[in-house]
Amino acid sequence: MPLPEDPKAPWPPKAMKPILRDMQEADAWFSGDVDRLRNFYGTTGTGTSSHLPGFAGGAPGKVRFWPRRAADRAPNRTQIHVPIAADIASTSADLLFSEQLRFPIPGAADGGNRAASVTQDRLDVLVDEGGILTSLIEAAEVCSALGGVYIRAVWDDRDRLPMPTLTVVHADAAFPEWRWGRLSTVTFWTVLLDENGKVWRHLERHEPGVILHGLYVGERDTLGKREAMSAHPHTEALLDGDDRTYDESTKILTVELPDSLRNELTVRYVPNVRPNRRHRHTLHGRSDYDGTYSLMDALDETWSSWMRDLRLGQARVVVSQDALTPKGRGKGATLDIDQEVFTGLDMEPTVDGKPMIEQIQFAIRTKDHADTAFALVERIVSTAGYSPQSFGLHIEGRAESGSALRIREGKTLRTGGRKQRYWTPETVDLLEVLLVLDRDVYGSPVEPDRPAIRWGDSLVDDPQEQATTVEMLRRAQAASIRTRVQMVQPELEGQALEDEVARIQAEEGVTVTDPTGFGD
């Protein structure tokens, strides 16, 4: 369908409400904001996302600590939030994109394909100077928290962007439509102003070959009437350009994609992992926090209890009334605990069988709290799909690498490999789209091609262990020089790999002959 026409249309769309509510809960934990947690789990939650004004929260039946804190506003209550959710999202992003990625164009590494080499050089510029890797690591962190993320290609033929690049759209600001398991269209929205009950929204709808823009003024729960794009500076800035037309009657701005992208979208959806266990019949991804909310709530309760013990465990002195120094009539009396010399009193050291001065100090249950918190963190990260060692647990005195480290980090590596399979096709699709835009909009002399992706390895192999393996393969004559070089230097490809093999052959005095006798 085109952009919505009905001013009374609910927004966000009703079909998205269950998904967005889950994202709102994930967002509250991801943000680490105590007020957001209280608002969401309170019985009259007011919403937490700038994309969802007035979107009601409230899920007091799931967890027990934050609903109590939402109802109890006493200022002296100890409330500690442990940002384990943010740590999980950051770890997920680092697992995917902390190491340098490579995007080789087929045929470019051999040096014999001039066109492929030019395209490779230009793609490297787009990735490095366009900040694509930083966009990807941002997208991966949001993807882990919300269960999915959208990445779109952007360009500007008015020389405001020197090259096409990628931007990130969070999943709680998008209404997707699917066909045969693939994203067919998607509508993004941005809340431009939320004031006095009126909400200004910019809708951006991506369809194959075209992008539609509209400006709406409505209420918190309804989309409202479409207004002229010039009514707000944000949308007015989109009007100029050779590739776009504005219809005054419909108030819709249409951006035409280049002819070579007439059947394509310039946006992709990357799910975190699937299936979404709470919404099995949708194609939305699953958050890493799924199934951990009650555990994270218990962790916050544990730390709050621990800090309460520290506060209550401060030493206090209780003294007899007779030991106090009067400050004057009607002004009470005090005890100066720093006083070194006291005036002698003609009285027993106890008054009515009780000591004149008594210290009170409650026990601080450090070990009990630490053990509970440790067990909760271990369970949370394991449920999220990671090894406890990835979060600094069970690493006392260890400095491992190679196979031992991979075994210890096995669950984390499997989760990372699973996520890579979701990221790979969408990322290379968008890189090919960028090359097409670079040629057709910016006039770059490239021949667009679909690149591959070489994922970095965040775990360092033990050089001694690796050398031993390669030496055993050499002695067993089970691997060629080329294979052994690829094992030790996996980043070498094409001519660079052949040159390294030739140097080793020359150093070892290996002569390569043509067994057929028909060589040059």
Side-chain angles (χ1 to χ4, degrees), residues 378-400:
E378 188 174 24
R379 184 66 262 169
I380 289 168
V381 300
S382 180
T383 301
Y386 301 94
S387 302
Q389 291 82 0
S390 300
F391 291 79
L393 307 180
H394 303 303
I395 60 172
E396 295 80 2
R398 299 188 183 184
E400 298 172 342

Side-chain angles (χ1 to χ4, degrees), residues 64-354:
R64 67 193 191 105
F65 176 67
W66 284 110
R68 293 203 312 269
R69 286 299 180 261
D72 184 2
R73 298 286 180 164
N76 62 337
R77 301 296 187 193
T78 303
Q79 301 178 52
I80 301 295
H81 172 59
V82 182
I84 186 67
D87 289 344
I88 290 172
S90 178
T91 298
S92 175
D94 290 341
L95 182 65
L96 290 166
F97 297 111
S98 63
E99 301 298 324
Q100 185 71 21
L101 270 68
R102 293 180 296 118
F103 305 101
I105 295 291
D110 297 334
N113 189 332
R114 173 62 181 168
S117 297
V118 171
T119 302
Q120 181 70 72
D121 292 341
R122 181 57 179 170
L123 179 59
D124 292 342
V125 171
L126 296 178
V127 170
D128 294 337
E129 298 184 10
I132 288 177
L133 291 180
T134 56
S135 295
L136 290 176
I137 198 167
E138 173 196 345
E141 187 165 339
V142 172
C143 184
S144 168
L146 301 186
V149 71
Y150 295 85
I151 309 175
R152 65 182 171 186
V154 295
W155 68 98
D156 196 327
D157 60 357
R158 299 165 293 177
D159 296 330
R160 297 185 182 181
L161 277 177
M163 62 187 70
T165 188
L166 301 178
T167 60
V168 180
V169 181
H170 297 196
D172 59 352
F175 175 41
E177 298 171 46
W178 316 91
R179 181 175 299 167
W180 307 118
R182 302 283 293 179
L183 185 68
S184 59
T185 58
V186 61
T187 303
F188 300 136
W189 73 87
T190 305
V191 175
L192 303 178
L193 183 65
D194 180 6
E195 190 174 70
N196 298 325
K198 293 295 183 182
V199 181
W200 291 63
R201 295 180 179 92
H202 168 216
L203 266 59
E204 175 184 329
R205 181 174 176 81
H206 288 253
E207 298 178 352
V210 68
I211 304 173
L212 306 175
H213 295 267
L215 176 65
Y216 293 81
V217 181
E219 299 178 354
R220 290 180 176 270
D221 297 320
T222 57
L223 185 57
K225 182 181 177 182
R226 191 184 301 149
E227 299 288 344
M229 293 285 287
S230 58
H232 194 281
H234 175 84
T235 50
E236 184 180 23
L238 301 173
L239 291 174
D240 297 331
D242 297 334
D243 59 349
R244 56 201 66 193
T245 57
Y246 180 61
D247 189 330
E248 295 284 355
S249 61
T250 63
K251 301 175 184 177
I252 293 178
L253 173 65
T254 302
V255 179
E256 300 285 347
L257 302 188
D259 290 340
S260 50
L261 295 175
R262 285 300 178 192
N263 298 318
E264 293 287 337
L265 292 174
T266 55
V267 61
R268 295 292 186 275
Y269 174 72
V270 182
N272 183 45
V273 288
R274 284 173 175 156
N276 187 321
R277 298 188 183 112
R278 300 177 66 181
H279 307 280
R280 292 182 293 107
H281 302 296
T282 73
L283 291 173
H284 292 275
R286 182 177 80 240
S287 170
D288 278 342
Y289 310 153
D290 188 50
T292 69
Y293 294 117
S294 60
L295 294 170
M296 291 192 292
D297 181 74
L299 180 62
D300 286 351
E301 184 172 15
T302 299
W303 270 92
S304 297
S305 173
W306 193 347
M307 295 304 104
R308 180 176 179 272
D309 268 19
L310 287 175
R311 180 168 56 86
L312 296 179
Q314 296 177 0
R316 290 169 173 81
V317 176
V318 179
V319 300
S320 168
Q321 185 71 29
D322 296 321
L324 299 178
T325 302
K327 297 179 66 176
R329 185 174 182 178
K331 296 182 179 180
T334 61
L335 174 70
D336 184 359
I337 60 175
D338 293 323
Q339 182 177 341
E340 295 182 356
V341 178
F342 291 85
T343 301
L345 299 175
D346 187 14
M347 59 189 303
E348 297 294 328
T350 62
V351 178
D352 295 332
K354 298 180 181 179

